[in-house]
Amino acid sequence: MKHRQTLFQLCLACVIVFGSCVNDIDKIKQITFKSTDPEQKTEELYVLQTEGGFPQFKLYAPLAEAYSKPEQVTKFKEGIKVEFFDDGGNPESILTGLYGEINETKGTMRVLDSVELYNPARKQTLYTEALYWDQKDSLIFTDKMVMIKSPTELIYGKGIRAKQDFSYYEFLEPQGRISIKK
């Protein structure tokens, strides 16, 4: 009888000890997770969006951090490169910058620091420090200083609105044009 009582006490002690060792994920998150931490991190992110078998855009980033509060935002703190394509899958423009952010809730993207938008067909490159893209109307815009360089001229001004393929653009405050001779 004494052995049964001792065995019962030992089993009860094991249940209490081992049962209390279960980790509660929510409690662990409360201790280790900060509200400023990303919910997801991806290294070497590569995204290809297609429609009808043709690419619409390709996105590459060395590091992507996803947040869902207060809005769904993905941050690219180590740089971003986006290639846009026409309906036939031909490259239209390439957008690069040292920092990027996509707000999926609003359907917008902003690219900051050493921003370049290149149109290979026209051999034109736009340079600025901040550029914004609105997915619903495919417009790219900024209110910062902008310089556009082509093989024959250099145009600069403050602020621009352009199509994402960079086939059309309009300066908000044009400031000058310089012809380049070979």
Side-chain angles (χ1 to χ4, degrees), residues 89-182:
N90 302 308
E92 285 185 322
S93 59
I94 302 165
L95 175 62
T96 60
L98 297 180
Y99 176 86
E101 200 172 281
I102 295 175
N103 184 320
E104 295 186 36
T105 306
K106 294 179 180 176
T108 59
M109 176 173 59
R110 71 179 181 150
V111 181
L112 306 172
D113 197 359
S114 304
V115 179
E116 293 183 14
L117 178 63
Y118 176 68
N119 179 315
R122 299 173 93 180
K123 294 184 174 55
Q124 286 182 321
T125 306
L126 176 147
Y127 301 93
T128 188
E129 284 305 308
L131 201 59
Y132 302 88
W133 176 58
D134 191 337
Q135 186 177 9
K136 67 180 173 277
D137 57 12
S138 301
L139 280 179
I140 294 174
F141 56 93
T142 188
D143 61 354
K144 305 291 184 197
M145 288 300 296
V146 176
M147 180 177 69
I148 297 176
K149 184 179 178 188
S150 72
T152 58
E153 63 186 358
L154 183 68
I155 308 167
Y156 57 97
K158 186 172 182 188
I160 197 167
R161 295 183 68 78
K163 288 185 175 183
Q164 78 181 20
D165 64 3
F166 197 35
S167 62
Y168 168 81
Y169 58 87
E170 176 183 348
F171 277 96
L172 302 179
E173 295 177 34
Q175 295 182 351
R177 174 177 269 166
I178 301 169
S179 293
I180 300 174
K181 298 187 183 198
K182 292 185 178 185

Side-chain angles (χ1 to χ4, degrees), residues 24-39:
D24 183 351
I25 287 294
D26 292 329
K27 286 182 183 177
I28 292 171
K29 282 184 179 178
Q30 288 176 353
I31 295 169
T32 61
F33 185 77
K34 297 180 207 127
S35 62
T36 56
D37 288 344
E39 292 159 9

Side-chain angles (χ1 to χ4, degrees), residues 13 47-48 51-52 58 83 151 175:
V47 176
L48 174 64
E51 188 174 302
K58 282 195 285 189
E83 295 179 55
Q175 295 182 351

Side-chain angles (χ1 to χ4, degrees), residues 11-23:
C11 288
L12 183 61
C14 286
V15 167
I16 291 171
V17 169
F18 292 119
S20 66
C21 289
V22 174
N23 291 324

